[in-house]
Amino acid sequence: MRHFSPSTVFARCSVYISAPSRSRSCRSYVRDATKCDTVGRVIIYEPPDSYAGSDGRITFDHLGIRAEIVKVLNEAFPSVKHPTTTQQLLIRAILSNKDVLLKDHTGTGKSFGILLALLNNAFKASIHDGGSKSKSKSKSITSLVIVPHRDLAYQFIHWVERIHSYLPRADPIASIVQAVVRNAADPLPEQILHLKEHPPRILIGTPPALLDLIQEDASALIFDKLSTVVVDEVDYLVESFPRNMDKYARLKARRQLLKHPSLTRQILNKIYCINKSVSNKKSQTDSDPSFHSNVGLDRPQLIMASATFRVPLRHFVLVRSGWFPKSRDNLIRIMGSSVPDNLVKPSTEDVARHSLGGSFIQHHALVVSEDGSIKNITGAADPPQPEDTMSSDSSISGHTITVNATALSPPDSGINEDHMDFESIGDDIVVESLPFKYNMLEAVSEAFALDVPRLALLVLPASAPLRRVVTALCEFGVDARNLDIFQEEARSGYLSQETSRPPSDNPTLLVGTLASIRGLDLPELTHVFILGLPEDRPVDTYLHAAGRVGRFGRGGKVISVLSARHKSKTNKGKFGWKDEPQKIQRMFQMMGVKPIKLSHFL
Ligand SMILES: Nc1ncnc2c1ncn2[C@@H]1O[C@H](COP(=O)(O)OP(=O)(O)OP(=O)(O)O)[C@@H](O)[C@H]1O
């Protein structure tokens, strides 16, 4: 088997430091970078030789991670030997107390890198305290991590648990990290009491739970003691407007936001003392130098990360939110490039090769007709030969996607408008008004049975009735389960497996929604099924769903299951044609993705 090394896969990152930031502190941060552009932005980062280990590659301890953590890291995570490029930049930035805006592909180790840096700081703080036992009363929460859903919070906890279990002399885990999520079995007053009596160094929480906590008892999370705030999956947690919105719509949306800011915005506004009426007046924020004065020097550093951290949101958080000091001296922007820097004019093939897991992921799209027949999308390329599958270019090179003319042409015949919104399954289960057709679930079951060796994930639209889908899939004989890492058993089962195990006689299909799969890392996962074309921000949503596989060279398949072109009711109550296959073709072209035939289907 070909040896895989993460640094060969991840494209180089660029660190952007805006012009005024060429201060002494930033120069020292980038002192080992070797190539800058004309305005002083570092475009190629090459650490000095002294940062390399005996094999000539950068090591975690040279980035500043404590020896005791580095020592056990590889035991806890056998595949983690060297930091990825993103982690090299990120960890050093966090340990140098910089603010960070980070955008890089899914599976480049962003969350893991953040966690390692926070863990490092937690250990440092614990040593400065003189040990947890003697001064437990003086301990406080110093790092706050805001994540979109509770499964991601538990994934962070799971990572710390694994590292902690190998540490010979460590404080109890609850004094290092805890999670707050809304949980009926653990009421808020009890969570608050526990946090106050045994505060962890790192608190990880979902926005609703954290806001409850802050509003219920401000002393449970003392902002003055915070040294780091992290917003993971920031584009999911902080809203922004598309650039092409017209002026009127933008004003309206802004007013709406003023009235109802997202929970994460409310939390950050509280931490960074932002006055609502001020922060939304652009003229004032831009012209009044005192505006940011409440963002003092000893404010907590702010780290924001996502694989899809688009320009409008970056603009909002930097220019309008008031969460960052106006002077950008302390800010590091890490933007993973989609192609290596040496490709001056990347071709579509180059982009495809270096994006979305590169050649490690195969993308498929199945089209399901009214009569239930399943076909590969028009223009899908033949699958690579088995001996080619591990070669770096095989799955994407040489194939060009062609949008089939018939898929684009107008309909020439009517279609039965009474399509199945009510379907009876077995004798007693009725799937009512699903946002997709019932035969699409049948197609998922079929492809799952034919292709999945052990573990797959089905991603549903955010509003889909999860339980009903799970029940329907079970009716087809699929071992379908609600994705719930919160359950202890699931945590150790799905999050832990690093080594490949033989195929199972009874593979499992985890079912989640677009809202609950963000950021999850399930090492055994080989297939992601996406039901329908995501309606809201389809490209970003596809990137996040697809990004659950192909992580760290593990490979994988992403299978979109779409209904064939059909008539459907529009928002205004009229009937129009819905053509998901055509839309996904366009989306694939935009992303430089080449769909490949799934062998079992025509
Ligand atoms: N340097 C490394 N080398 C090898 N594997 C790594 C490394 N860093 C992290 N991993 C593995 O990657 C997984 C975590 O990736 P992580 O979730 O941090 O990626 P991410 O960039 O945040 O992805 P996403 O954008 O989907 O949230 C962990 O399971 C860990 O084992």
Side-chain angles (χ1 to χ4, degrees):
M1 197 191 228
R2 200 168 70 97
H3 173 69
F4 165 71
S5 98
S7 67
T8 59
V9 173
F10 301 115
R12 276 178 171 159
C13 293
S14 304
V15 187
Y16 292 90
I17 298 170
S18 40
S21 70
R22 279 173 280 161
S23 64
R24 195 181 306 137
S25 60
C26 281
R27 265 205 307 271
S28 70
Y29 172 75
V30 299
R31 66 187 181 281
D32 32 49
T34 53
K35 192 171 159 195
C36 299
D37 68 9
T38 49
V39 289
R41 300 179 306 185
V42 179
I43 53 175
I44 293 186
Y45 162 74
E46 280 176 10
D49 291 346
S50 59
Y51 273 64
S54 54
D55 59 357
R57 293 175 56 194
I58 308 299
T59 58
F60 282 102
D61 44 0
H62 281 113
L63 301 178
I65 299 291
R66 303 182 68 81
E68 58 264 49
I69 299 177
V70 177
K71 213 168 148 193
V72 299
L73 189 58
N74 193 234
E75 287 180 82
F77 294 90
S79 64
V80 180
K81 295 187 173 67
H82 298 274
T84 63
T85 310
T86 293
Q87 289 170 340
Q88 289 171 33
L89 298 164
L90 173 66
I91 291 172
R92 295 186 62 222
I94 298 177
L95 299 187
S96 319
N97 200 28
K98 302 287 178 194
D99 293 317
V100 179
L101 297 188
L102 166 60
K103 169 180 180 270
D104 204 354
H105 294 307
T106 53
T108 44
K110 297 182 292 296
S111 308
F112 195 80
I114 290 170
L115 181 89
L116 277 184
L118 298 188
L119 204 55
N120 196 74
N121 286 344
F123 270 69
K124 201 163 94 192
S126 164
I127 286 167
H128 287 167
D129 278 354
S132 60
K133 282 173 198 133
S134 55
K135 296 196 177 175
S136 60
K137 286 270 183 283
S138 70
K139 277 189 137 192
S140 54
I141 297 163
T142 49
S143 297
L144 175 68
V145 183
I146 309 176
V147 294
H149 55 89
R150 68 180 194 176
D151 283 343
L152 193 52
Y154 281 98
Q155 176 172 290
F156 273 89
I157 300 279
H158 171 79
W159 285 340
V160 182
E161 280 171 352
R162 274 177 77 171
I163 295 173
H164 185 264
S165 68
Y166 287 91
L167 287 167
R169 285 187 309 279
D171 289 350
I173 187 138
S175 73
I176 301 172
V177 67
Q178 286 179 40
V180 281
V181 297
R182 274 189 180 163
N183 176 13
D186 194 4
L188 186 65
E190 284 173 30
Q191 292 197 46
I192 291 178
L193 198 67
H194 187 261
L195 272 182
K196 284 168 77 173
E197 280 179 7
H198 308 284
R201 288 285 172 211
I202 308 168
L203 182 67
I204 302 169
T206 55
L210 285 170
L211 203 59
D212 285 351
L213 181 87
I214 293 166
Q215 284 168 349
E216 184 78 20
D217 186 342
S219 65
L221 177 62
I222 303 165
F223 298 154
D224 284 349
K225 304 261 173 140
L226 284 176
S227 53
T228 308
V229 175
V230 175
V231 186
D232 200 8
E233 308 292 341
V234 61
D235 60 321
Y236 192 82
L237 293 175
V238 178
E239 20 5 357
S240 67
F241 321 112
R243 275 176 141 186
N244 52 6
M245 225 177 190
D246 71 56
K247 206 173 157 190
Y248 177 72
R250 187 179 287 267
L251 273 175
K252 207 171 146 194
R254 208 168 265 154
R255 263 202 304 271
Q256 191 65 18
L257 262 186
L258 240 185
K259 274 197 217 151
H260 307 287
S262 72
L263 302 184
T264 307
R265 271 196 198 217
Q266 293 180 44
I267 295 169
L268 293 175
N269 285 348
K270 283 178 193 292
I271 294 175
Y272 292 96
C273 311
I274 304 302
N275 175 333
K276 193 162 85 173
S277 62
V278 174
S279 69
N280 285 281
K281 286 182 189 161
K282 185 176 189 307
S283 54
Q284 191 158 354
T285 63
D286 284 352
S287 59
D288 178 3
S290 66
F291 168 67
H292 290 281
S293 60
N294 50 359
V295 183
L297 275 180
D298 53 357
R299 62 182 267 291
Q301 69 178 150
L302 181 53
I303 320 290
M304 295 184 151
S306 177
T308 46
F309 196 168
R310 304 274 175 206
V311 174
L313 180 59
R314 299 211 299 268
H315 175 82
F316 167 76
V317 297
L318 274 183
V319 178
R320 301 185 62 88
S321 72
W323 301 327
F324 292 92
K326 198 162 190 182
S327 123
R328 308 270 151 72
D329 282 6
N330 207 43
L331 176 75
I332 304 285
R333 287 189 243 188
I334 304 170
M335 302 290 134
S337 56
S338 55
V339 290
D341 300 326
N342 55 3
L343 293 175
V344 181
K345 274 191 173 177
S347 65
T348 312
E349 270 74 22
D350 291 326
V351 176
R353 195 172 295 132
H354 295 281
S355 64
L356 269 178
S359 53
F360 291 98
I361 301 187
Q362 290 183 6
H363 300 265
H364 310 270
L366 296 177
V367 180
V368 187
S369 314
E370 287 285 310
D371 63 4
S373 63
I374 309 166
K375 284 189 187 142
N376 279 290
I377 196 161
T378 315
D382 287 332
Q385 296 307 307
E387 64 268 24
D388 289 344
T389 48
M390 290 307 289
S391 107
S392 60
D393 293 346
S394 59
S395 60
I396 43 119
S397 62
H399 302 298
T400 30
I401 182 168
T402 48
V403 180
N404 185 289
T406 47
L408 291 170
S409 63
D412 56 6
S413 63
I415 198 167
N416 177 12
E417 290 172 15
D418 300 320
H419 67 249
M420 307 291 227
D421 265 341
F422 292 80
E423 274 283 349
S424 139
I425 308 169
D427 287 337
D428 50 6
I429 302 164
V430 174
V431 178
E432 203 177 312
S433 306
L434 287 174
F436 39 82
K437 290 180 200 165
Y438 173 66
N439 55 14
M440 289 172 71
L441 285 187
E442 213 168 356
V444 170
S445 318
E446 199 170 327
F448 172 81
L450 291 167
D451 215 60
V452 174
R454 188 168 270 281
L455 187 66
L457 175 67
L458 169 63
V459 184
L460 304 176
S463 58
L466 211 114
R467 278 205 200 134
R468 276 191 288 158
V469 171
V470 170
T471 314
L473 289 165
C474 289
E475 286 288 309
F476 286 122
V478 175
D479 178 18
R481 300 178 197 184
N482 192 345
L483 176 69
D484 194 354
I485 290 181
F486 184 61
Q487 301 295 331
E488 185 66 41
E489 175 206 355
R491 230 190 290 176
S492 48
Y494 305 137
L495 295 176
S496 304
Q497 291 302 330
E498 283 225 4
T499 49
S500 51
R501 293 191 289 170
S504 158
D505 289 343
N506 190 22
T508 301
L509 179 61
L510 299 175
V511 185
T513 65
L514 289 167
S516 66
I517 52 117
R518 276 249 184 172
L520 287 186
D521 186 71
L522 308 166
E524 279 204 312
L525 200 70
T526 54
H527 291 62
V528 171
F529 292 89
I530 304 175
L531 203 65
L533 190 71
E535 287 196 353
D536 185 29
R537 296 194 293 171
V539 172
D540 287 3
T541 309
Y542 186 88
L543 287 172
H544 282 282
R548 297 315 101 211
V549 287
R551 300 162 80 78
F552 290 90
R554 289 182 204 129
K557 294 184 181 181
V558 184
I559 305 172
S560 297
V561 180
L562 313 162
S563 59
R565 187 168 182 278
H566 63 281
K567 259 190 175 174
S568 107
K569 222 174 188 178
T570 64
N571 291 342
K572 291 178 182 158
K574 293 183 181 162
F575 277 94
W577 288 97
K578 193 169 177 186
D579 198 340
E580 289 186 336
Q582 184 194 349
K583 276 193 185 161
I584 208 166
Q585 298 265 30
R586 290 207 183 119
M587 199 173 87
F588 282 160
Q589 275 185 326
M590 253 175 72
M591 295 190 294
V593 159
K594 309 281 178 187
I596 290 177
K597 275 184 190 157
L598 199 61
S599 340
H600 320 283
F601 302 96
L602 280 178

